[in-house]
Structures are given as C-alpha cells and as structure tokens.
Amino acid sequence: QVQLVESGGGLVQAGNSLRLSCVASLRTLSSVTMAWFRQTPGKEREFVAAVGWSKYSSYYADSVKGRFIIDRDNAKNTVYLQMNSLKPEDTAVYYCAAKISLAPMEARPSWFDYWGQGTQVTVSS
C-alpha cells in the first residue's frame, strides 16, 4: 500500500509564495509519475501539475503555468510544488497523487492510483 503525505499548506496573502511537499512511502520514485491536483467545495478535482518518472517531463495547467513549479527528489521520495505569485483563486485543498507507470501521463484524477489526504491552501486578497 502506497501512502502519500502532504505538508506545507497554510494561509498566505496574494502575491506571496508557498511550497508544498509530498512524501511517498515507496522504495523508489524512479518509475512513478507524481502530480498535484486541487479541489474547492462543489467542484471537481482539478489538475495542477505533474512530473514524469524521468523528471525531465513536467506538465502544468494553463492557470498555473509560469507561477508554479513541480519538482521531485527521488532520493528523498518527495515531490514539491513551489507556488509563486499566489492568487485568491488558487485557494483550494491540494492533493498529491501518484501512479506507478512508465506510460505517458494523463491529467485526470482517475488515471492516478494513490492519493494523499490533502492540504489546505488559502490565499487572501
């Protein structure tokens, strides 16, 4: 059973930054695609960013492109989401997700097999 544990959420003013972390209970992340999704009440879970198993392939939602950076440290079994220039519309519960696969990433929740418990990010105006 794979466990994902997120941390780093909190309350921040618009324009500031936060970094989320997700630690995976896996022997290695070398063949795992890692992603971040977010969700607000009454809405579907939304893709934010993903990093492929090779680390050199990363993907971003248009809404965060140029502001967020996803990165991974396979030695620490950890994936990060650096969120810069935060906006009130970034307020959501952020979830870490993982899939053990070498297949091309699909930016939909059902493609991923494992999920963290979520961490709240609140951006005030």
Side-chain angles (χ1 to χ4, degrees):
Q1 182 72 15
V2 176
Q3 288 187 322
L4 305 175
V5 179
E6 304 104 331
S7 61
L11 173 64
V12 64
Q13 286 190 327
N16 286 348
S17 300
L18 273 178
R19 189 175 82 155
L20 305 182
S21 300
C22 173
V23 180
S25 64
L26 290 165
R27 182 174 299 179
T28 177
L29 289 184
S30 61
S31 60
V32 182
T33 295
M34 303 292 295
W36 289 93
F37 286 75
R38 64 188 182 187
Q39 190 170 24
T40 54
K43 293 190 176 181
E44 294 186 354
R45 198 162 291 189
E46 172 191 30
F47 171 77
V48 176
V51 57
W53 61 272
S54 71
K55 185 177 180 179
Y56 297 106
S57 54
S58 56
Y59 313 88
Y60 296 93
D62 288 342
S63 59
V64 306
K65 202 171 293 183
R67 299 188 298 123
F68 290 11
I69 300 171
I70 189 169
D71 196 9
R72 61 193 293 167
D73 184 338
N74 287 350
K76 296 182 178 180
N77 283 1
T78 302
V79 63
Y80 304 98
L81 184 68
Q82 178 66 42
M83 304 186 295
N84 302 319
S85 302
L86 282 161
K87 304 175 181 180
E89 50 263 44
D90 294 318
T91 296
V93 177
Y94 283 71
Y95 295 91
C96 178
K99 183 172 179 74
I100 303 174
S101 174
L102 300 181
M105 192 277 298
E106 296 182 26
R108 52 184 174 86
S110 59
W111 190 78
F112 290 86
D113 297 322
Y114 305 102
W115 293 87
Q117 81 287 351
T119 185
Q120 176 71 46
V121 172
T122 303
V123 184
S124 63
S125 57

